[in-house]
Amino acid sequence: MRSSQFFISTLKEAPNDAEIVSHQLMLRAGLIKRLAGGIYTWMPLGLRILRKVENILREEMNHAGAVELLMPAVQPGELWQESGRWEKYGPELLRLKDRHQRDFVVGPTHEEVITDIVRRDVKSYRQLPLHFYQIQTKFRDEIRPRFGVMRGREFLMKDGYSFHASFDDLQREYRNMFDTYTRIFTRLGLEFRAVAADTGSIGGTGSHEFHVLADSGEDALAYCSDSDYAANVELAEALAPTKPRGAAGESMRKVATPNQTRCEDVANYLGLPFEKTVKAIAVMHDEAFTLLLLRGDHTLNEIKTGKLPGLDPFRFATDAEIERFLGCQLGYIGPVGVDPAKVRIIADRTVAAMSDFICGANEAGFHLTGVNFGRDLPEPSIVADIRNVVAGDPSPDGKGVLELRRGIEVGHIFQLRTKYAEALNCSFLDENGQSQFMEMGCYGIGVTRIVGAAIEQCHDERGCIFPAAIAPFTVCIVPMGYAKSETVRTAADALYTDLQAADIDVLLDDRNERPGVLFADMELIGIPHRIVIGERGLKEGLFEYQGRRDTEAKMVPAREIIAFLKARLCAA
Amino acid sequence: MRSSQFFISTLKEAPNDAEIVSHQLMLRAGLIKRLAGGIYTWMPLGLRILRKVENILREEMNHAGAVELLMPAVQPGELWQESGRWEKYGPELLRLKDRHQRDFVVGPTHEEVITDIVRRDVKSYRQLPLHFYQIQTKFRDEIRPRFGVMRGREFLMKDGYSFHASFDDLQREYRNMFDTYTRIFTRLGLEFRAVAADTGSIGGTGSHEFHVLADSGEDALAYCSDSDYAANVELAEALAPTKPRGAAGESMRKVATPNQTRCEDVANYLGLPFEKTVKAIAVMHDEAFTLLLLRGDHTLNEIKTGKLPGLDPFRFATDAEIERFLGCQLGYIGPVGVDPAKVRIIADRTVAAMSDFICGANEAGFHLTGVNFGRDLPEPSIVADIRNVVAGDPSPDGKGVLELRRGIEVGHIFQLRTKYAEALNCSFLDENGQSQFMEMGCYGIGVTRIVGAAIEQCHDERGCIFPAAIAPFTVCIVPMGYAKSETVRTAADALYTDLQAADIDVLLDDRNERPGVLFADMELIGIPHRIVIGERGLKEGLFEYQGRRDTEAKMVPAREIIAFLKARLCAA
């Protein structure tokens, strides 16, 4: 492609509302244009990246035996009512009425539609298994769309759905997809990690997320370098301390802690270790009040907590409720002296093993030190894993310690089991002529989000750094004076033709701009390989080559440039 | 592809609501599945056809210098309000509100969005011309969706938009697109015709439609075999008769024509030629009443008529209005003796040249014969071209006579001029630093509709007959007893591998079904080339070949089959 026949439109500054680097760079490089909140046009340069991602997905999904189809974006509300998600999905489901006042949605996902197709068409175990997928535009009406394509409203997804006669066969396909996703993200050239995941609202049991690793990622991932263990922190288990609780060594004392409401401040004020503090978090389930006890430096894991009996779902107590149940204001609340008939106490496993700890005194301006279970307050009736793991925690599989990385979720595979098959009556006759519900799996990849995640993972102050597999162009030719110098123009045109003949995806930047502008644009766009052609080099038969990650350029004999590039491309 | 790893699901009978043959065959062949009225899933077999169409479009559009992007399906209502189409578009525009109660539409077309992009990004004549296109899912809320993908609600379109600094440059690109569309439909393997077209509601001046020729087509096309003239009948001009009006030969007589209300019946009843009758059609523009006079065997052209002064727009008069203005009921109305102060008369050019004609007497049960302008009624004050052309009419370019064919509109190119640029203030600075509105063109192809049109054009009682360029597979191998005979299986597998190696798109039908079922399915699906492998043929080293259009099979030596097929494919 020649720049003059393409459309390159870069910006010096990103708009103010672009909060994260991928959003800023995608706008500056002209990969996307905002049409409305969370709704973007993919400009020619961005679309080239999308298409490269799509092609890799398609090749690997086909190779894995899945079959592509294309379902509609607009779906009848009836099917969502039948599955029960019309009520459950909430305002993220974009609902609308057609001209005949019939309910429709712009689909955020396609479990209902594909299950409807399969229940009409498939009657016998002999027709199973099946795995259909599509690459299709979806809509999710996010309340606060942001971060560009990372949390957009309209987005492109690869979504696949498999149907099976048995759970065993679902598990076989699930492993097949785990391996396929691993191949896909490897081919995309991204550093990623697959982690066990909470299934969230999509339902079913058994799921893994695929995350692109990036410091800016919204998700925290826990993994063990000594084993295969890897999980979203939402799900990672914090084991109980192996060391038994120490004996009480101090007596309980009430100490004044004026204006000290956070555990860290209380510890500093009293000159005691942060790890000796216990914080109490007040939550409600309907009208039932519970105090959750966590070590001061730990954080609450809402997912794990929400699965405990009597806390599904829970919400944080209001100031008025805290006042009513504990007679005290936030910042000084604690578990000592509360009425067990009104206040349930759940201690994190770590807290249950603490002695001589510090906690709120249920009196404004005061804390207690030297507190011990069984002496100053009853043993906690419930001990549970309610905290987020931290680096250095023992791995739940007993094989080492946990490390933490941050990630951006770009893929998710689920074992849905028979959830949708039962809701939509999708059944088949087994070998014995018995009717059974189909076992289902579903497998998603956020196609548009991958582009943002790739930039979050790899960029510098000059712009995007794309993996070669998905860069908008693999190589750019930057002629120094294409319009002015016939020598340069002839050499650039010849190299352009040669690279095309060698099946290398090349951009010839033949715009009539200063070299500084061309360099800056090619770096901003993130093209992995750059060849500069100037009169001085040409006199000695040399081109200048620089990789996007290289700190220096090197001169390469013109006649060796194709072999040189091919070696570079293979190495990448 | 192997059938066993693909998804083939054919039906013996088409659902009752499938009215036309392409809809019936697409459902029977399992190319599409209905999700809701006018909303279809493209099943794997159908999607393969769509993708082949898309690829040809993409190659030719890129080759023509257009640049692909991808605009959102969901568009903000504001832009439609700005262009004025929020009010004008009517209920076919699917409107919706997001969770914040802001207006959006599911886009039926993208003039507003692309103009918004260009007005923000393009400031100078040096950045022009530009031509962006996309292949994207659209929605048009048809009141009565029918004919499957031919008049669906959700559909796939290739839509392109060009921007120019001058009308001359727009015309250059328009010709470029005319040639590109001609190449596209030629490559698709369809018999088609480009015709001058009415621009309809999209606005602007200058447009051509591309029609796939098929007897079932909704549009009538007029063309001249002796020249380049071709136009949609909506637009085709009916010239005035060259022969002057004959002199009056009869005197006017009132004759009883009890219960004869149609011209044809009146002529038969009176034993006079149909071509001597004149029908009067009563229409209204606001409160103004007009009688349109047409020869009895001609039909009214509403498009041409609607462009006449004082008839833009017009509607047909009600029975009560006819009674009020003419004092007579429908079936016997005519132009003689009406009050020129209340009733305007417009005569078609053909009628203006008639003498001694027959028309209604404005009295129930009676007609007039021997009627003559200038004697029995005034010369018509307005003579205009208001009828549809018929076969045998002189071509408007004066080079022969018109023939008629029916067609299905699959492409449309428009010169929009500055309509949208003015509405949305899309301007640029010209070479003199003056601000000018951009000249725009737009160019659409109905991607999904092409599949239906191809089937309407070519099918037989056994099913679809696809052109090789867009058939879901080019060749199918049908083994007689794949499961039972190792000889057959080995030969089929070997041929399958060989054809794949030769880069031929092949389907090996390895399903465990009776040969009759396999044959019927492959014919229904419309695969152009079939190779049957059976034990008997193999003993003599022969495969059986039959083209989908061939009436007989022929035996081909196994070792020559690839060369044989390649020759066939080249010939296609």
Side-chain angles (χ1 to χ4, degrees), chain A residues 10 29 90 93 130 150 328 425 452 461 474 495 529 534 562:
Chain A
T10 56
L93 184 63
L130 288 169
M150 302 286 275
C328 175
N425 196 23
E461 69 291 350
T474 312
L495 179 60
H529 305 277
I562 299 237

Side-chain angles (χ1 to χ4, degrees), chain B residues 163-229:
Chain B
F163 296 83
H164 308 271
S166 71
F167 181 44
D168 275 358
D169 196 55
L170 164 59
Q171 286 178 303
R172 175 202 52 74
E173 182 65 9
Y174 186 81
R175 282 189 299 271
N176 180 27
M177 278 301 113
F178 187 96
D179 295 342
T180 300
Y181 275 37
T182 301
R183 271 197 304 276
I184 285 171
F185 292 109
T186 305
R187 278 189 63 185
L188 290 172
L190 298 170
E191 197 191 352
F192 71 98
R193 201 172 284 274
V195 298
D198 184 69
T199 52
S201 64
I202 201 158
T205 57
S207 87
H208 280 84
E209 293 168 355
F210 287 77
H211 286 263
V212 167
L213 299 178
D215 293 339
S216 59
E218 282 196 295
D219 282 283
L221 314 176
Y223 64 99
C224 174
S225 294
D226 299 324
S227 75
D228 283 343
Y229 183 82

Side-chain angles (χ1 to χ4, degrees), chain A residues 5-7 9 33 35-36 39-44 47 51 58 67-76 79 91-92 94 96-100 104 106 113 116-117 121 130 132 139 141-143 153-154, chain B residues 5-7 9 33 35-36 39-44 47 51 58 67-76 79 91-92 94 96-100 104 106 113 116-117 121 130 132 139 141-143 153-154:
Chain A
Q5 290 167 10
F6 196 61
F7 185 77
S9 172
K33 298 266 180 206
L35 175 62
I39 301 180
Y40 295 89
T41 293
W42 284 82
M43 297 299 289
L47 185 62
R51 291 281 188 252
R58 196 168 273 128
V67 183
E68 189 175 1
L69 47 55
L70 182 62
M71 290 180 270
V74 175
Q75 309 174 6
L79 276 179
E92 283 191 8
L94 188 64
L96 55 97
K97 286 187 188 289
D98 74 356
R99 65 192 291 162
H100 302 297
F104 283 86
V106 183
V113 176
D116 180 59
I117 290 171
D121 241 56
L130 288 169
F132 295 114
F139 201 96
D141 203 0
E142 291 272 358
I143 188 163
R153 294 201 284 176
E154 186 169 318
Chain B
Q5 289 164 12
F6 196 61
F7 185 76
S9 173
K33 299 266 178 203
L35 176 61
I39 302 179
Y40 295 89
T41 293
W42 284 82
M43 297 300 288
L47 184 61
R51 291 281 187 251
R58 195 168 274 129
V67 183
E68 188 176 3
L69 48 53
L70 181 62
M71 290 181 269
V74 175
Q75 310 175 5
L79 277 180
E92 281 190 9
L94 187 65
L96 56 97
K97 287 186 187 288
D98 75 355
R99 65 192 290 163
H100 303 298
F104 283 85
V106 183
V113 176
D116 180 59
I117 290 171
D121 241 56
L130 287 168
F132 294 113
F139 201 95
D141 203 0
E142 291 273 358
I143 190 163
R153 294 201 284 175
E154 186 169 321

Side-chain angles (χ1 to χ4, degrees), chain B residues 1 45 48-49 52 466-477 499 502-508 522 525-531 545-548 565-566 568-570 572:
Chain B
M1 184 64 72
L45 210 47
R48 288 182 75 91
I49 306 174
K52 290 187 181 186
F466 283 110
I470 63 173
F473 296 94
T474 312
V475 176
C476 62
I477 304 173
L499 290 181
D503 213 19
I504 293 172
D505 186 23
V506 57
L507 178 71
L508 169 57
M522 295 302 106
I525 291 166
I527 300 181
H529 305 277
R530 183 182 78 192
I531 300 167
Y545 167 85
Q546 186 164 359
R548 179 66 180 81
L565 271 179
K566 284 197 167 171
R568 285 266 160 164
L569 296 179
C570 283

Side-chain angles (χ1 to χ4, degrees), chain A residues 196 222 229-240 301 304 348-350 384-390 393-398 400 402 404:
Chain A
Y229 184 83
N232 194 311
V233 163
E234 288 180 346
L235 198 70
E237 184 181 4
L239 297 180
N301 184 306
K304 292 189 288 188
D348 180 61
R349 287 167 170 175
T350 306
D385 171 23
I386 58 173
R387 72 170 171 93
N388 289 317
V389 295
V390 294
D393 275 344
S395 176
D397 64 359
L402 293 180
L404 294 183

